[in-house]
Amino acid sequence: MDVRVFEGWLAGVLAAQPWAGQVSRWSTGSGPKPVGLTLAGRVHLQLVGGDQKAAPLDPADVGVAPAVDASPTDPASWAEAIVRTVVEAGMARVKSAETYAQWGGSTKPGGARVVFADGSELFASILTASR
């Protein structure tokens, strides 16, 4: 999955969440990195990885924007709410999603790993999250 394609998809499903507030993308098109989102005007989520040669999204890949009940206040709870949203959205290309704490591959308190059906992985790190 291309990181910018995922960024756009994630922005869409998070925009449907009241707790995410206004969601803005850092990049559009094939512009320069970094790639990520700003949520609620204060939470910065940087995205890295993925497969830049992946095919564009097909409407069947998209899934739905679920209503996820959450009240995130710190990096770990933001990561958990984002992962729950990704999992519940049911995008066909997402094989699995987990927080860094669930994954065990990072000691960073707020972040997530998404594994795609094509074998590529994407990492999302909460850079700032304050009340």
Side-chain angles (χ1 to χ4, degrees), residues 2 6-7 12 18 22 27 37 67-71 78 82 85 93 95 99 105 107 117:
D2 180 277
F6 186 75
E7 176 195 43
Q22 182 173 345
S27 69
L37 303 171
V68 174
D69 184 30
S71 298
W78 275 98
I82 291 166
T85 303
R93 291 192 189 181
K95 181 177 177 182
T99 66
T107 57

Side-chain angles (χ1 to χ4, degrees), residues 67-110:
V68 174
D69 184 30
S71 298
T73 58
D74 61 7
S77 63
W78 275 98
E80 184 179 318
I82 291 166
V83 164
R84 285 185 43 224
T85 303
V86 168
V87 169
E88 292 182 25
M91 179 201 273
R93 291 192 189 181
V94 172
K95 181 177 177 182
S96 66
E98 57 201 342
T99 66
Y100 284 170
Q102 293 165 329
W103 170 44
S106 175
T107 57
K108 187 171 175 63

Side-chain angles (χ1 to χ4, degrees), residues 13-30:
V13 295
L14 289 176
Q17 309 305 320
W19 48 264
Q22 182 173 345
V23 177
S24 57
R25 293 178 69 178
W26 295 359
S27 69
T28 56
S30 60

Side-chain angles (χ1 to χ4, degrees), residues 3 9 14-15 23 32 34 38 41 47 54 56 62 71 78 82 89 93 105 111 127 129-131:
V3 67
W9 174 83
L14 289 176
V23 177
T38 298
L47 305 171
V62 175
S71 298
W78 275 98
I82 291 166
R93 291 192 189 181
L127 302 180
S130 59
R131 291 193 126 195

